[in-house]
Every structure is written in structure tokens, then in C-alpha cells.
Amino acid sequence: MLSKVIVITSGKGGVGKTTTVAHIGTALALMGRKVAVVDADIGLRNLDIILGLENRIVYDLVNVIEGTCKLNQALIRDKRVGNLYLLPAAQTRTKEAVEPEQMKALCHSLRETFDYVLIDSPAGIEGGFRNALAGADSAIIVTTPHVSAVRDADRIIGLVEAAEKGIPKLIINRLDIEMVKKGEMLDQDDIVDILSIGLLGIIPEDPAIVTASNRGESVFNNDKSKSAEAYRRIARRIEGEDVPLLDLDDNHSFLGRLKRILTTNIG
Amino acid sequence: MTDKMSIAFRGTPAGLVVVVDEEKPFKTIMADLVRKLEDSGYFFVGADVTLDLGSRDLDRTELNQVAETIQNKHGLVITGVKTTSERTKSAAQALDVNIVHEDHPAPNASAKTEIAPPTHATPPVPEYPPTLSPIPPGELPTEIVRRTFRSGQQYESAGNLVVLGDVNAGAELIAAGDIIIFGALRGMAFAGSTGKTDAMILALKLNPTQLRIADRVARSAGDVVENNPGPEVAFIENDQIVIDVWGKH
């Protein structure tokens, strides 16, 4: 298959780009794909921590670009999933250490070995974001159901389209179904209505993700985890499968279920 | 190009008038007329025009040539000729063209005069609908933009602006005339940017962060409108911007 280079970006910081990259990367690798996750957040690297690979870093992305080491010397194999590799960011350098052309060349060489290259973009719309975008074929936008995150996502979608990377896909992260039901949080329809791009998936608010990320562990070990299932479905959609959205609401009354069946049949 | 054109199109209260220079050679006039009409594309198609020839002498062949160019080649309709020259008058009479006097404005379209019968058996059919009328004098041209404006994007128009798409929060539209949005307006729209106080802003879903018309500014009340009433229009009334349901009047 033709390899795909996808940048995961958001505009706003703290919406879960890095966590999303780690989990989609893991899910694709568990499906048997060879995956490289690239941390393009130079100077503020985090992807290694979430994957629990921090103490294995010897060389990084800037070393590869400057020719200090070979690409495969910098790639770190994930400790749990054999098909997953991390190219870490440099922590002691800044975004200015890299040019968009160099990122393009790097992505090009990663294509030779990997089915998927997922780039973790830094927050913001400046140089770091431009670098992350440079080598990508397409983009995934991550937002949380907050007005400010949606606003920044809208801005980023405009920039991705202007860079001729096609229309990006959307992931809504940390949706709290209880708050949505109470009308205290934007729901998925509001967000999709504003951003008017295709929805790739919704990740529910899940304390297990926070715990796992802090420990550098995987949520995929837990079969009952809704968020793990949500990530798996996103990975399958990236693979081109037509998978329904995960039902996040597990407190259905009988009547509620009946209504759902009726609307499915009619609609 | 330093010379003034020998042909001028003028919008008057009585309609469009084609003013022909009195001095320049007939060849120049024909060349300028063709260029002017070609430059304006479909702009004047279907328009009723009066030919103002001043004191210029034109014979029957020449007048026929001018009329043929204007009517048959470019789809305008000559409603009359204004002239002080006796020779031109008789040429017009010979061609059965209505002569317009200063104190008698051009007759209206119902009394159109057939002039310059085409030399071909059947008159050439214009490639465009002849019902298109020109932009009346004093009105702005209209621009249609088919896209969604996202946060951080800005668009400026020197005329009226029609957007087929949404204008999201953080995006800005500026137009000298009206702004019409076939979609949701969630960002900022500035109509009548050059001071046109009768400019309006219309959107299928009017939910802006801010509206500006001419020198007036209005901001959203801040509360989320749950039941959007459908298309709404904003305009200036009693010196302030008001919003009303579209189609009420």
C-alpha cells in the first residue's frame, strides 16, 4: 500500500494532540501496520513520555536533519507494540532548528519504511506548525468541546486548506456525555455544524487516559475501555473502513433504546 | 490611447445615452464603438439606448452601420436618435428611426422603433439572454463568493458581496455595499464600508460577533440564540443598527 503521512494538529494547546497521536499510532500498529510517530514539537517534547519511551532517547529529529545520526538510529521501537516507532523531538533546541524543506525530506525517507507516518504538531500557527504541516499529505484536527478550542480549530482548518493539504478530518476529544446531556457543553452536532468538516471520531472524557498517559502505559490493555474502542474505530476509519460512531451514552432507558431503533429504521 | 474616446456611454434619468463625438472621423468612431462594446462584455445587453449624434452629419449607410453594430452585434436596443444635423435627420427618417428632441425624452420600450433592418434573411440570435439589464447608474456591482470563511480569514469587496457558505467567528467581511450570506454569519460583517448608510447585512442564520454598517457598530448581545428565526436582516434605522426577520415587509 501507499504510505500516508498525516499531521495531527489543533491550533490550541492542551486539547490532546499528543495523546491522540500515541493512541492512533498504537491502534494502527496493533492492526498490523508499520507506523512511525514523529514528535515535531521541538523544545517541548511529550510524545516520548506518553509512550513511556523517554529514557531510551539517544538521538532525535534535529540530529537526523543535521546529519549527526542516521534515521534508523534515532527511531525508537515501542516497548509493547513491535510495529510502532517513535522519532522524538529535540528538547534542547527550538523550532527554528528545522526548515519546512527539511521536514519534507524527512517525511519522504520515512515513507520508504512505514505504512503510516503520524506527525505530532506543536500548538500555534507559526513556524513549528508550518514545519509539521510541510511533509504531510493530509491533516487531522483535534478539538475539545470548548468554544476556544473550536475557534482555533477553525483557524487551523483554514490554514491547512490554504496549504493545499485537502480538507482535514475532525476528532472531538474529551467529550463529556453527562455535561452535553445537561446542555453545559457543546455537543458533536454543534461542533460539526461550525467547522463543517468530516468527523473521524469522538473520544469520551476518560480518567483512564490521563492515568495511562502519565504512566506511559497503554489503554488498549483494558477491553472495556470506551476510549480505547474509540481510538480503534478511528484507526479503522483511517484504513478506509466504514465504521459507525461509538455510542458514548451507556445509560439508555428502554424507551430511549426504542426511540433509537425507530429513528434508525425511519431515518 | 492618449486621445479621448470618441464614444461615451452615459447613464441619464431618461436612460442610457451613447454620445458620439462631433469632430472625429467616422472610422475612429466605429473602431471606438466596437472596442467599447467588446470591453463591456454582456454589461449592456438588452439595454435601451439613445444615440446622441450632436451636430454630426451621417448619411444613411453610416447610420445604418452604427445601428447594426449596436443592435445586431451587441444586443442593445436603439430607441431613438438625437441630432441637430438636417442630413442625419433625413438619414434617420429614411431608416425609420425615431428622432428624439431635447424637450421630448426618448419614448419608452413599448414604442421601440425598428431600425437598421439586418442584411441577412434572419436576424442573428444573441448568445445571451437579452433580458439581462445593465446595472442602473449609481448602483454597485455585485460579487459572488462561494466558500466558507474561517477564523482569521478576511474578504473585502468594492461592491455588494454575496457569500455562498458560512462566515465563522473570527472571520471578517467588508463590503462597500450590501452583504448577503447564504449560510451562517458568526463572525464580523461590515457593510457600507465607504459610508453607505442604507447598506444591509442579510444572512440565513444571523449570529454575528459584531455588525458594522457605515459608521455604526453593533455587537452581539452575548446570549446564544437557541431558536434561530431563519433569515434575518440588519440595517440602520434611527441612527442605529437593528435586526429584523427577513421578508416581513
Side-chain angles (χ1 to χ4, degrees):
Chain A
M1 77 175 257
L2 219 63
S3 59
K4 286 182 186 168
V5 183
I6 306 170
V7 62
I8 286 85
T9 186
S10 70
K12 188 167 158 51
V15 298
K17 286 181 292 294
T18 306
T19 314
T20 305
V21 170
H23 287 89
I24 295 177
T26 307
L28 283 167
L30 286 168
M31 288 166 74
R33 295 298 182 189
K34 213 170 169 199
V35 183
V37 288
V38 178
D39 192 345
D41 201 350
I42 299 159
L44 290 168
R45 76 177 175 212
N46 285 150
L47 189 51
D48 53 319
I49 303 173
I50 290 177
L51 290 168
L53 301 171
E54 190 183 8
N55 53 12
R56 302 192 194 191
I57 298 173
V58 181
Y59 295 111
D60 56 46
L61 186 148
V62 175
N63 293 139
V64 175
I65 279 176
E66 289 178 346
T68 322
C69 71
K70 291 206 177 82
L71 179 57
N72 56 17
Q73 286 179 291
L75 286 165
I76 305 166
R77 193 173 179 201
D78 188 73
K79 57 187 176 184
R80 297 163 307 234
V81 192
N83 285 337
L84 182 65
Y85 290 79
L86 165 71
L87 180 59
Q91 184 67 346
T92 54
R93 306 292 291 273
T94 62
K95 313 278 189 273
E96 287 76 48
V98 178
E99 294 290 327
E101 285 307 312
Q102 296 171 317
M103 276 300 285
K104 263 191 204 168
L106 179 71
C107 292
H108 194 73
S109 13
L110 285 166
R111 265 180 214 275
E112 290 169 16
T113 329
F114 294 97
D115 298 321
Y116 286 101
V117 179
L118 305 181
I119 303 168
D120 182 15
S121 157
I125 54 172
E126 296 84 14
F129 160 71
R130 305 257 168 213
N131 283 337
L133 187 63
D137 314 318
S138 60
I140 293 174
I141 310 293
V142 181
T143 187
T144 55
H146 300 103
V147 175
S148 52
V150 173
R151 181 75 51 88
D152 290 0
D154 189 46
R155 177 91 166 99
I156 284 287
I157 294 165
L159 295 174
V160 170
E161 285 172 352
E164 291 174 356
K165 303 286 181 187
I167 296 168
K169 293 273 190 221
L170 182 69
I171 291 178
I172 301 171
N173 198 18
R174 307 190 71 166
L175 189 83
D176 186 335
I177 191 71
E178 294 308 318
M179 284 187 76
V180 169
K181 278 206 265 181
K182 282 185 232 157
E184 287 164 6
M185 192 177 248
L186 290 172
D187 70 14
Q188 63 184 77
D189 295 338
D190 298 333
I191 298 168
V192 171
D193 187 39
I194 292 170
L195 298 178
S196 51
I197 59 171
L199 188 60
L200 194 59
I202 302 168
I203 315 294
E205 175 71 47
D206 182 358
I209 294 267
V210 182
T211 319
S213 300
N214 285 339
R215 293 193 188 143
E217 289 169 357
S218 172
V219 291
F220 291 101
N221 299 329
N222 179 357
D223 281 339
K224 283 184 183 159
S225 164
K226 280 223 158 192
S227 48
E229 178 56 22
Y231 284 124
R232 269 193 288 267
R233 291 194 187 197
I234 288 173
R236 285 165 65 195
R237 282 185 206 109
I238 291 173
E239 283 271 86
E241 264 186 73
D242 194 6
V243 202
L245 281 173
L246 184 63
D247 183 10
L248 300 179
D249 189 0
D250 35 31
N251 303 320
H252 291 308
S253 63
F254 171 72
L255 203 64
R257 269 202 300 272
L258 191 69
K259 241 186 232 164
R260 187 174 296 272
I261 293 162
L262 286 176
T263 43
T264 321
N265 286 344
I266 296 161
Chain B
M1 288 296 281
T2 46
D3 275 60
K4 240 182 79 200
M5 287 277 274
S6 61
I7 294 280
F9 281 74
R10 289 209 186 116
T12 72
L16 194 62
V17 177
V18 180
V19 183
V20 180
D21 188 273
E22 296 178 348
E23 310 289 317
K24 295 222 170 79
F26 183 70
K27 257 188 173 170
T28 316
I29 286 170
M30 282 310 293
D32 281 350
L33 182 64
V34 168
R35 201 170 79 199
K36 184 90 189 167
L37 287 167
E38 277 172 2
D39 281 355
S40 50
Y42 299 159
F43 195 81
F44 293 120
V45 172
D48 292 341
V49 296
T50 308
L51 261 182
D52 185 355
L53 298 167
S55 60
R56 192 175 188 94
D57 286 337
L58 284 184
D59 63 26
R60 195 180 153 156
T61 327
E62 287 170 331
L63 184 60
N64 193 44
Q65 214 177 322
V66 171
E68 168 127 351
T69 303
I70 292 177
Q71 294 206 134
N72 297 341
K73 292 212 177 103
H74 292 275
L76 288 78
V77 180
I78 295 175
T79 53
V81 168
K82 213 157 135 186
T83 179
T84 53
S85 147
E86 285 307 318
R87 194 165 161 218
T88 309
K89 261 184 203 166
S90 57
Q93 273 157 0
L95 287 165
D96 202 15
V97 179
N98 189 33
I99 294 163
V100 183
H101 305 284
E102 281 303 337
D103 40 353
H104 297 104
N108 58 26
S110 61
K112 268 174 215 162
T113 322
E114 275 305 322
I115 69 153
T119 42
H120 343 271
T122 49
V125 181
E127 303 156 37
Y128 22 73
T131 47
L132 282 178
S133 49
I135 297 171
E139 282 199 17
L140 293 164
T142 298
E143 196 174 352
I144 301 176
V145 186
R146 196 178 190 158
R147 58 175 276 202
T148 290
F149 289 91
R150 299 187 179 278
S151 177
Q153 296 176 336
Q154 197 196 42
Y155 198 85
E156 257 185 85
S157 172
N160 303 307
L161 180 59
V162 179
V163 174
L164 307 179
D166 291 348
V167 180
N168 285 355
E172 295 181 1
L173 294 186
I174 301 167
D178 300 332
I179 295 177
I180 295 157
I181 299 158
F182 276 82
L185 171 61
R186 305 186 184 96
M188 196 282 280
F190 183 7
S193 60
T194 50
K196 200 172 178 294
T197 49
D198 62 342
M200 60 155 195
I201 300 167
L202 173 72
L204 298 188
K205 227 169 135 182
L206 194 68
N207 239 333
T209 41
Q210 197 184 80
L211 291 176
R212 297 184 202 165
I213 298 173
D215 61 342
R216 302 282 109 189
V217 181
R219 60 178 175 78
S220 78
D223 46 356
V224 182
V225 183
E226 286 294 342
N227 298 315
N228 212 293
E232 285 181 296
V233 63
F235 51 92
I236 295 184
E237 195 177 76
N238 298 330
D239 227 25
Q240 61 177 354
I241 297 177
V242 295
I243 294 175
D244 207 346
V245 176
W246 172 248
K248 238 174 85 173
H249 306 294

